[in-house]
């Protein structure tokens, strides 16, 4: 988990209200939402905002999902359904299996950014103040994260960021990133030798 750049404050996702003043239902197929998702994926380096897995990788935590950090249900926080600060792109597991409709809000402020949350917020919090040693989306491998605050502990427990299977998988991803970075800096001839050597080891040499 890492701190994310906040959406541009001029970004507006809220659609035109109905005649009775109510908002239309949520749909990620709206052009404004699709545009936001494209921005968010670039902002997050195509990785889940919570666990760091590349989203859409079916071998890991599966398809991407739009998470309403504060649930959008009619009885919860419908006023934040289209609030950009309330939207992050996550993997299917973090959103639909672990978090589900977890009420993350402890205090509703005058504005969204003035509110308080039970979970570490990727836009509003400094991750390092709440969780030490969490995967930050790069090639550095990690051990079990250590909570530095109550909300850090709740975040680790809810999303199972200390699960041994998750740590094994995310460290494999970090290793792949590290290998890709290393190969990117190899001269062409050396890279070809490396690929041929790997092909021989795996029995696929032509």
């Amino acid at each position: 988990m890492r701190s994310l750049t906040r959406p541009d404050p001029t970004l507006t996702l809220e659609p035109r209200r109905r005649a009775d003043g109510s908002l239309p239902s949520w749909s990620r197929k709206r052009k404004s939402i699709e545009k936001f998702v494209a921005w968010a994926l670039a902002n997050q380096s195509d990785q889940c905002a919570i666990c760091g897995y590349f989203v859409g990788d079916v071998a890991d935590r599966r398809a991407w999902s739009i998470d309403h950090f504060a649930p959008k249900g009619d009885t919860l926080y419908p006023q934040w359904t289209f609030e950009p600060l309330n939207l992050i792109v996550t993997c299917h597991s973090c959103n639909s299996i672990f978090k589900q409709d977890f009420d993350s809000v402890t205090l509703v402020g005058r504005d969204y950014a003035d509110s308080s949350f039970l979970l570490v917020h990727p836009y509003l919090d400094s991750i390092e103040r709440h969780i030490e040693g969490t995967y930050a989306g790069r090639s550095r491998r990690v051990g079990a994260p250590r909570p530095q605050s109550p909300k850090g502990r709740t975040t680790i427990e809810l999303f199972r960021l200390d699960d041994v299977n998750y740590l094994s998988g995310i460290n494999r991803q970090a290793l792949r990133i590290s290998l890709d970075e290393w190969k990117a800096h190899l001269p062409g001839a050396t890279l070809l030798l490396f690929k041929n050597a790997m092909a021989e080891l795996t029995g696929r040499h032509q």
Side-chain angles (χ1 to χ4, degrees):
M1 191 175 191
R2 56 177 169 162
S3 298
L4 298 174
T5 300
R6 297 187 186 190
D8 189 315
T10 63
L11 179 63
T12 302
L13 301 179
E14 186 173 304
R16 183 176 299 176
R17 291 178 178 267
R18 299 189 180 99
D20 61 1
S22 64
L23 284 169
S25 60
W26 167 263
S27 173
R28 76 182 199 182
K29 293 183 179 180
R30 295 182 184 279
K31 290 190 180 299
S32 61
I33 303 301
E34 291 179 343
K35 183 177 179 180
F36 173 83
V37 169
W39 172 85
L41 286 171
N43 189 40
Q44 299 173 199
S45 303
D46 292 323
Q47 294 170 326
C48 172
I50 303 298
C51 71
Y53 270 126
F54 284 111
V55 290
D57 186 345
V58 296
D60 290 313
R61 290 199 174 196
R62 290 172 287 180
W64 65 269
S65 178
I66 302 175
D67 175 40
H68 287 78
F69 199 80
K72 66 180 185 298
D74 292 340
T75 60
L76 292 170
Y77 311 100
Q79 72 272 30
W80 292 333
T81 297
F82 296 95
E83 166 57 57
L85 283 174
N86 194 44
L87 302 175
I88 53 176
V89 175
T90 67
C91 66
H92 172 81
S93 294
C94 283
N95 187 19
S96 301
I97 297 178
F98 300 143
K99 184 169 178 282
Q100 299 185 41
D101 291 325
F102 180 83
D103 188 350
S104 60
V105 181
T106 58
L107 176 67
V108 176
R110 182 179 59 181
D111 298 315
Y112 184 88
D114 296 326
S115 302
S116 299
F117 300 89
L118 279 169
L119 300 173
V120 181
H121 200 299
Y123 292 134
L124 304 179
D125 287 322
S126 172
I127 306 300
E128 294 76 14
R129 291 184 58 187
H130 302 284
I131 304 176
E132 181 183 352
T134 184
Y135 178 69
R138 296 184 295 275
S139 58
R140 183 174 66 86
R141 285 175 283 178
V142 296
R146 296 170 294 282
Q148 303 297 303
S149 69
K151 68 162 58 175
R153 183 178 301 279
T154 302
T155 302
I156 291 171
E157 292 176 351
L158 181 66
F159 294 106
R160 305 180 191 178
L161 298 179
D162 56 355
D163 177 76
V164 293
N165 291 321
Y166 159 71
L167 291 171
S168 176
I170 206 64
N171 280 324
R172 287 196 301 271
Q173 175 176 297
L175 183 60
R176 290 199 303 269
I177 294 173
S178 179
L179 184 59
D180 288 342
E181 291 175 347
W182 175 73
K183 289 191 294 185
H185 289 88
L186 287 178
T190 305
L191 179 59
L192 180 60
L193 288 173
F194 170 79
K195 289 182 176 179
N196 285 339
M198 292 301 296
E200 287 184 357
L201 287 172
T202 57
R204 295 196 298 267
H205 185 62
Q206 299 296 324

